[in-house]
Amino acid sequence: MPHANKAHWQSLFRGEPVTHTFARSVDDLVAGRRRPAPPALSGDLAARVRLHEDVPIGGLDGTLTAEIYQPRTPGPHPVLVYVHGGGWYTGSASMDRRYCASIAAEGMLVVAVGYALAPEHPFPRALEDCVYAARWAVKNADAYDGDPDRLAVAGCSAGANLAAGTALVLHGADDQAHVERPGTGRSGVQRPGTRLDGGDLADMPVTVSALLLLFGMLDAHRWICDPKYYAGEPEITLSAYLGPNFSGKLRDPLVSPALSPSLHVLPATYLSCGDEDALLGHSLAMTGRLADADVPVTLSVVPNADHEFLKIPERVEGARAENERIVTWLRERLGLPERAAPPERVGPPERTGLPEQEIGEAP
């Protein structure tokens, strides 16, 4: 069962004791925001992955960027669009650098989305950015030796929420109607209270072959009613993401993907969560809903594991084995051959884009 104190997983993640301070307002969330220093890549990962930093990919206002992890082996490689967590109000594409690089080292082109954060950019902006990034990845996969016809979408925590919403939008869920945004000539998606702007890539079709949801927040209504160690935080976080009058949006299928009436459009889905995570109930409920919708679904609940455990396998027993299961599942779904032996180490990571920044331990 979940720990009583959120500081448990945060202390494990940082590798030192942490005293968690609860935010009392949206301003507190913003004041506590910081961009984590990305963890260094090991020599083995550096030998197997090219890292392209802060790649401009356009987006609705031209500011959207991504980190791209390109395998050094010959392609074309299947594409994985990855969405970081952080409660929609914090985090960055670089915060999961080591994790994304480890997936890319298995022969997948990983595009980590640097979506716009709330409250400056409230719902649905982050989702619009993720949908746009998936379309951009399909359009530009060839430039990075990627295969646009083999695409997966993945996300962790709040990023899993965005990943599920992205797949629903890209597969044209029945509860979505395409419209033209007045005065723009651009098509979007409309439902009561929500309209998504697709930007200049709105008409690009995308097929998602696999969906990976890691310790996801998948039902906003459940999060408020059954917060466990998040008690006192969901209302403030959702107010930052959805606006102060958020209650009417909690059951929107793109806010709470587990409640979508169109889950049948989703591809095969893998859900992973620790049995000590306060969000475990979300993965359990989503699994049941997907099974009822006849979607091929795999649920893995890892004993004695809390939030974010997959990113610290050196500190959580069972994390390495779970990461292996996830990679095996992705390889099967994306048509990758059996894993080859890794190459010998060959120097530091190759980087493109901005100058090399100081790299330290992620919080």
Side-chain angles (χ1 to χ4, degrees):
M1 62 182 293
H3 280 264
N5 192 342
K6 184 179 176 181
H8 171 259
W9 74 259
Q10 293 179 328
S11 298
L12 277 175
F13 195 62
R14 295 191 190 186
E16 60 184 13
V18 170
T19 300
H20 179 68
T21 302
F22 286 93
R24 302 298 180 186
S25 68
V26 172
D27 288 341
D28 283 351
L29 295 180
V30 175
R33 179 193 294 164
R34 59 177 172 165
R35 186 169 187 251
L41 301 186
S42 68
D44 176 64
L45 289 177
R48 302 170 69 186
V49 174
R50 295 184 178 94
L51 171 60
H52 306 269
E53 299 180 53
D54 295 311
V55 177
I57 65 175
L60 304 185
D61 59 6
T63 64
L64 185 59
T65 63
E67 286 212 337
I68 299 177
Y69 304 80
Q70 181 180 358
R72 293 181 182 272
T73 54
H77 306 286
V79 181
L80 177 76
V81 175
Y82 180 84
V83 188
H84 69 80
W88 305 286
Y89 68 88
T90 190
S92 67
S94 67
M95 68 183 286
D96 292 340
R97 180 169 289 173
R98 183 175 63 167
Y99 190 71
C100 289
S102 70
I103 296 175
E106 298 294 335
M108 288 168 253
L109 176 67
V110 177
V111 178
V113 189
Y115 58 86
L117 300 176
E120 296 89 341
H121 302 280
F123 174 81
R125 175 57 185 275
L127 181 58
E128 290 173 331
D129 282 353
C130 293
V131 171
Y132 188 97
R135 290 171 171 153
W136 181 93
V138 168
K139 181 179 180 181
N140 294 275
D142 289 347
Y144 297 91
D145 207 11
D147 181 356
D149 293 325
R150 292 183 292 162
L151 179 121
V153 177
C156 66
S157 197
N161 175 286
L162 294 170
T166 296
L168 284 168
V169 172
L170 292 173
H171 282 200
D174 293 340
D175 52 308
Q176 300 163 7
H178 292 272
V179 298
E180 183 173 301
R181 304 201 75 173
T184 68
R186 303 196 307 217
S187 63
V189 177
Q190 186 175 11
R191 66 182 51 72
T194 303
R195 173 179 288 182
L196 298 190
D197 187 347
D200 59 321
L201 299 181
D203 297 324
M204 172 169 290
V206 176
T207 299
V208 181
S209 300
L211 179 61
L212 176 60
L213 306 177
L214 309 177
F215 29 87
M217 200 300 291
L218 302 169
D219 183 342
H221 187 268
R222 174 186 292 269
W223 198 34
I224 288 178
C225 296
D226 187 23
K228 296 187 170 66
Y229 58 54
Y230 289 100
E233 289 193 352
E235 294 85 352
I236 297 171
T237 303
L238 289 168
S239 180
Y241 182 49
L242 303 176
N245 300 315
F246 61 80
S247 60
K249 301 175 184 177
L250 295 179
R251 295 185 182 276
D252 185 305
L254 298 186
V255 173
S256 298
L259 304 181
S260 173
S262 300
L263 292 177
H264 62 277
V265 306
L266 292 179
T269 302
Y270 189 111
L271 298 98
S272 178
C273 196
D275 71 350
E276 297 179 351
D277 195 317
L279 296 176
L280 175 59
H282 295 240
S283 292
L284 297 173
M286 185 69 161
T287 299
R289 292 292 313 280
L290 289 169
D292 289 343
D294 293 328
V295 174
V297 59
T298 301
L299 170 66
S300 182
V301 179
V302 178
N304 306 312
D306 205 342
H307 206 58
E308 298 278 2
F309 74 98
L310 290 171
K311 302 170 192 175
I312 47 173
E314 68 278 10
R315 298 175 194 154
V316 178
E317 185 179 358
R320 293 189 191 280
E322 176 64 356
N323 279 322
E324 284 289 328
R325 288 188 289 268
I326 288 170
V327 166
T328 298
W329 184 85
L330 283 171
R331 295 177 71 90
E332 291 174 352
R333 290 293 169 180
L334 298 175
L336 275 168
E338 292 186 9
R339 181 189 286 118
E344 297 180 0
R345 294 185 179 184
V346 288
E350 177 180 334
R351 301 176 182 273
T352 64
L354 297 181
E356 183 172 348
Q357 57 185 300
E358 182 179 351
I359 294 178
E361 188 70 23

